[in-house]
């Protein structure tokens, strides 16, 4: 397979992580779709999520408040672009509910979950950025470590359900 110039440019703006989760797709989906479960894993401890608002449909709100151990607090507002139950979620901070453009579009997040058989799920999280600079900024913020720890927390929660 040949990589085109546009493919290479898109890859330069992407961060990705994959995990094999020893839990069925239905349990992994619940961890994403139920706000009380999402709060338990969505950011790496000792950080925590104190508020979640989700309307699981294209254009529906996806809002979280992340809190740090030293009193930091970050509101993350956006919308879902695609919702395919038990398969795929795509969200962005480029818009607010009602398709109102945000002040700064940072990324599109795509999460896919796939049944690999024997009760296991392949979990893939992609962060797609508007610019290479935004991708670098996200990487320097600790994408791999932070999203990796959150994915491990998701794995443990899904296994416990």
């Amino acid at each position: 397979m040949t990589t085109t110039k546009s493919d290479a440019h898109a890859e330069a703006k992407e961060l990705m992580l994959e995990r094999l989760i020893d839990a069925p797709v239905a349990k992994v989906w619940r961890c994403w779709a139920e706000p009380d479960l999402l709060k338990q894993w969505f950011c790496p401890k000792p950080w925590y999520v104190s508020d979640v608002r989700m309307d699981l449909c294209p254009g529906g709100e996806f809002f979280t408040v992340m809190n740090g151990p030293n009193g930091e607090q970050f509101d993350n507002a956006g919308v879902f672009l695609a919702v395919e139950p038990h398969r795929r979620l795509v969200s962005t901070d480029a818009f607010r509910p009602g398709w109102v453009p945000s002040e700064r579009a940072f990324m599109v997040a795509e999460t896919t979950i796939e049944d690999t058989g024997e009760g296991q799920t392949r979990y893939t999280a992609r962060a797609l950025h508007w610019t290479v600079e935004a991708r670098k900024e996200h990487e320097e913020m600790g994408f791999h470590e932070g999203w990796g720890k959150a994915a491990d927390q998701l794995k443990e929660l899904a296994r416990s359900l």
Side-chain angles (χ1 to χ4, degrees), residues 92-142:
T92 186
D93 60 359
F95 295 99
R96 303 294 181 254
W99 300 111
V100 175
S102 68
E103 291 181 21
R104 179 180 182 235
F106 185 64
M107 71 171 188
V108 171
E110 179 186 43
T111 301
T112 58
I113 56 177
E114 175 188 358
D115 183 355
T116 64
E118 300 180 18
Q120 294 186 322
T121 301
R122 179 171 319 286
Y123 173 78
T124 305
R126 296 173 61 215
L128 309 162
H129 302 85
W130 266 258
T131 65
V132 171
E133 293 75 24
R135 192 239 347 128
K136 288 178 183 175
E137 178 185 344
H138 199 182
E139 197 165 32
E140 290 169 4
M141 289 169 48

Side-chain angles (χ1 to χ4, degrees), residues 44-158:
K45 293 179 181 3
W47 287 72
Y48 66 96
V49 174
S50 60
D51 188 24
V52 175
R53 293 192 306 265
M54 303 170 62
D55 181 10
L56 287 172
C57 65
E61 182 178 29
F62 184 35
F63 175 83
T64 61
V65 177
M66 295 182 183
N67 302 270
N70 299 313
E72 307 94 332
Q73 191 171 64
F74 296 99
D75 294 1
N76 299 289
V79 298
F80 288 105
L81 299 173
V83 178
E84 299 172 34
H86 302 271
R87 187 175 175 280
R88 181 172 171 251
L89 285 170
V90 181
S91 63
T92 186
D93 60 359
F95 295 99
R96 303 294 181 254
W99 300 111
V100 175
S102 68
E103 291 181 21
R104 179 180 182 235
F106 185 64
M107 71 171 188
V108 171
E110 179 186 43
T111 301
T112 58
I113 56 177
E114 175 188 358
D115 183 355
T116 64
E118 300 180 18
Q120 294 186 322
T121 301
R122 179 171 319 286
Y123 173 78
T124 305
R126 296 173 61 215
L128 309 162
H129 302 85
W130 266 258
T131 65
V132 171
E133 293 75 24
R135 192 239 347 128
K136 288 178 183 175
E137 178 185 344
H138 199 182
E139 197 165 32
E140 290 169 4
M141 289 169 48
F143 169 85
H144 295 289
E145 182 180 358
W147 283 39
K149 285 181 180 178
D152 292 342
Q153 292 166 182
L154 165 63
K155 181 178 181 176
E156 291 306 311
L157 179 60

